[in-house]
Amino acid sequence: MKIIEPSLIHDWDKEPCGKEVTVSTKLYKDAKDFYESVDESLHDDTVMYEVYSVSSQSEPGKLNWGLTVMHPVKVNGECNMTRGHFHENMDCEEYYWCSKGTGLLMLMDEEGKCWCEKMYEGSLHHIRSDWAHRLINTGDTYLKVVACWPADAGHDYARIEHSGFTYRVYCEGKDIIVKERRTNE
Ligand code: F6R
Ligand code: ZN
């Protein structure tokens, strides 16, 4: 029997490493429309978040692994957030595990009911297959979240654009302020 080295390493404090790992970076210029207003003090190339992933072929039964690193950026006081999505394949659930930082996991069901779970080091989140999900960094350090999801889940972003999350999250000092979105947005 052979005992071999793993092809991937994910030190809990770092990003996953191995030749199958890919990284995508979300810059402010591609995230402007997530926020209530444009922050002229932010450079277009400000890094908002990176997603490291190990992806399988999109087939039932296969799994993806990922790490999202949310930078501690505020957009006119509004906390940095991911675009957010439903899964295209509504049978596919997901786990999020927070390895660093503090934040909120915003969830929304198909009726548009929206709520958040607190995220902090060690918090584990089971995302039901029919819930939209978005990460929000409410801290002044990186928020790092490990995810595992089915390879055939896909991302439905359009549904969020048309009937998006109904709340916005801002930070004022240590206080987290939640505001309902304006209906004309
Ligand atoms: C995969 C998943 C995460 C997100 C990532 C970026 O199903 O939920 O890997 O894709 O946190 O968020 P989005 O894709 O919403 O920009
Ligand atoms: Zn997802």
Side-chain angles (χ1 to χ4, degrees):
M1 182 196 76
K2 283 198 290 187
I3 297 181
I4 60 170
E5 290 294 329
S7 62
L8 293 157
I9 304 280
H10 192 165
D11 182 325
W12 68 275
D13 199 19
K14 301 196 180 113
E15 60 279 359
C17 291
K19 60 177 186 314
E20 300 103 295
V21 178
T22 58
V23 57
S24 74
T25 303
K26 183 74 79 187
L27 302 176
Y28 180 53
K29 65 176 167 218
D30 301 314
K32 277 186 187 168
D33 60 346
F34 304 173
Y35 296 92
E36 185 182 11
S37 59
V38 172
D39 189 333
E40 302 293 352
S41 71
L42 283 179
H43 195 276
D44 269 2
D45 291 334
T46 303
V47 175
M48 305 302 282
Y49 58 97
E50 287 118 350
V51 184
Y52 296 84
S53 357
V54 186
S55 304
S56 302
Q57 280 213 309
S58 169
E59 283 172 20
K62 303 220 170 189
L63 290 174
N64 291 344
W65 181 263
L67 171 75
T68 303
V69 179
M70 308 283 307
H71 290 230
V73 182
K74 304 281 180 291
V75 179
N76 289 328
E78 196 171 351
C79 299
N80 185 15
M81 58 185 153
T82 54
R83 190 172 179 190
H85 58 271
F86 280 100
H87 289 158
E88 251 168 337
N89 180 343
M90 296 287 285
D91 290 331
C92 293
E93 49 185 34
E94 181 161 9
Y95 271 107
Y96 275 2
W97 175 67
C98 179
S99 61
K100 274 274 171 212
T102 49
L104 294 173
L105 169 60
M106 188 172 277
L107 297 162
M108 186 176 71
D109 67 16
E110 289 196 90
E111 279 71 53
K113 191 184 117 199
C114 204
W115 70 103
C116 286
E117 287 183 13
K118 289 184 186 176
M119 299 189 104
Y120 44 82
E121 242 177 80
S123 65
L124 181 64
H125 309 267
H126 185 201
I127 301 166
R128 258 177 48 171
S129 56
D130 54 346
W131 290 349
H133 40 289
R134 158 177 278 171
L135 290 170
I136 303 171
N137 186 356
T138 56
D140 47 18
T141 60
Y142 290 98
L143 171 68
K144 298 188 180 185
V145 178
V146 174
C148 186
W149 70 101
D152 60 337
H155 295 84
D156 184 348
Y157 294 111
R159 207 161 153 196
I160 293 303
E161 270 141 40
H162 295 134
S163 50
F165 294 96
T166 43
Y167 291 91
R168 295 190 169 280
V169 177
Y170 303 78
C171 282
E172 283 176 18
K174 294 265 171 259
D175 295 330
I176 295 171
I177 317 278
V178 176
K179 292 186 194 163
E180 203 156 354
R181 266 173 82 140
R182 294 192 314 263
T183 43
N184 58 350
E185 276 187 50

